[in-house]
Amino acid sequence: MPKFISESISKKSIKDINQVIATAFFSVLSFGVIIAFFIFIMFHFFADKLFNVEQLETAKSLMIYALPSFIITAVSNSLLFSLDGWGDGYYRAKITMVGVIIYALLALILGQYIGVKGLVLAHLLQGLFVFIASSAYLSKKISCNFFVLNFFSVNHFKDMFKVSVNLQLISILSLFGDNLVKILIGYYAEINLVVFYEMASKLVSQIRMLAISGCQLLVPIISKKIADGNEKNNTGI
């Protein structure tokens, strides 16, 4: 995302920026819905073989919040990382930090009242906050509504797919790997241990995100330099 937005900014084309954001938004949303539907189907056929009766009821109640949370988190992260295209990684870091605080507070409060469901619901609400904050900032940045299907660009989709296919494959594999670990924990141990695993996994993810955020700030700068250099070469020719 930052790479394509930086290239569009160098072209000084608001329409092209809208197309990049809209293409990324609808692509991630579509893939998220497809993956969530696949997980739901797999859960429907194999859940009773992996959980006992009590665990199965708990798992069913969690799926109601977990799948929407997965979709919203994927879409919100797509919008969030697009801020790096303008070099606004500091604002992305602020949104991420506030989102973590919101998650921690909601998890503590809701966890006391509704148990494990509260933790999943807290994650869902965190994703909603990131989505709203990112969308509001982007709307202010480009002064246009980019949630329009007409802005979807097949050419941009192809370019994004070529760049991100390996990253998406890794993300999908890690998704199934992470859920497999949770299933095995719930099957061979108490399902409450899944909560501690989720909290530890989320903590590691946040630390990793902070570690690589510095390098991500260089992406729009380098992309702009390359785009400017290509324009100069074309002008010279």
Side-chain angles (χ1 to χ4, degrees), residues 76-77 79-84 87-102 126 129-130 133-134 137 206 209-214 216-217:
S76 61
N77 285 337
L79 298 177
L80 182 63
F81 281 96
S82 66
L83 301 182
D84 289 345
D88 294 341
Y90 66 94
Y91 192 80
R92 172 177 59 79
K94 289 181 180 179
I95 295 177
T96 302
M97 181 175 62
V98 174
V100 172
I101 295 174
I102 290 176
Q126 179 195 13
F129 165 77
V130 174
S134 302
Y137 188 81
Q206 295 298 331
M209 184 179 296
L210 291 175
I212 65 175
S213 59
Q216 290 175 336
L217 292 176

Side-chain angles (χ1 to χ4, degrees), residues 40-60:
F40 177 79
I41 295 298
M42 296 292 290
F43 177 83
H44 178 74
F45 285 103
F46 297 104
D48 57 342
K49 298 179 178 62
L50 297 173
F51 302 108
N52 57 41
V53 177
E54 182 179 354
Q55 293 174 341
L56 182 60
E57 291 300 321
T58 303
K60 287 181 178 180

Side-chain angles (χ1 to χ4, degrees), residues 98-116:
V98 174
V100 172
I101 295 174
I102 290 176
Y103 171 77
L105 293 176
L106 290 176
L108 290 174
I109 296 173
L110 296 176
Q112 293 180 351
Y113 289 97
I114 56 179
V116 181

Side-chain angles (χ1 to χ4, degrees), residues 16 26-27 29 43 88 95 137 143 170 211 220 230:
D16 200 60
F26 287 110
S27 298
L29 178 62
F43 177 83
D88 294 341
I95 295 177
Y137 188 81
S143 301
I170 294 173
N230 291 335

Side-chain angles (χ1 to χ4, degrees), residues 208-228:
R208 181 175 57 191
M209 184 179 296
L210 291 175
I212 65 175
S213 59
C215 296
Q216 290 175 336
L217 292 176
L218 298 175
V219 174
I221 299 174
I222 296 174
S223 298
K224 188 176 186 302
K225 292 291 184 182
I226 294 174
D228 292 341

Side-chain angles (χ1 to χ4, degrees), residues 50-51 176 178-189 194:
L50 297 173
F51 302 108
F176 287 105
D178 188 54
N179 288 330
L180 179 61
V181 172
K182 294 177 184 178
I183 291 173
L184 293 176
I185 291 175
Y187 182 74
Y188 290 105
V194 177

Side-chain angles (χ1 to χ4, degrees), residues 57-69:
E57 291 300 321
T58 303
K60 287 181 178 180
S61 63
L62 294 179
M63 288 291 287
I64 298 175
Y65 305 103
L67 293 181
S69 176

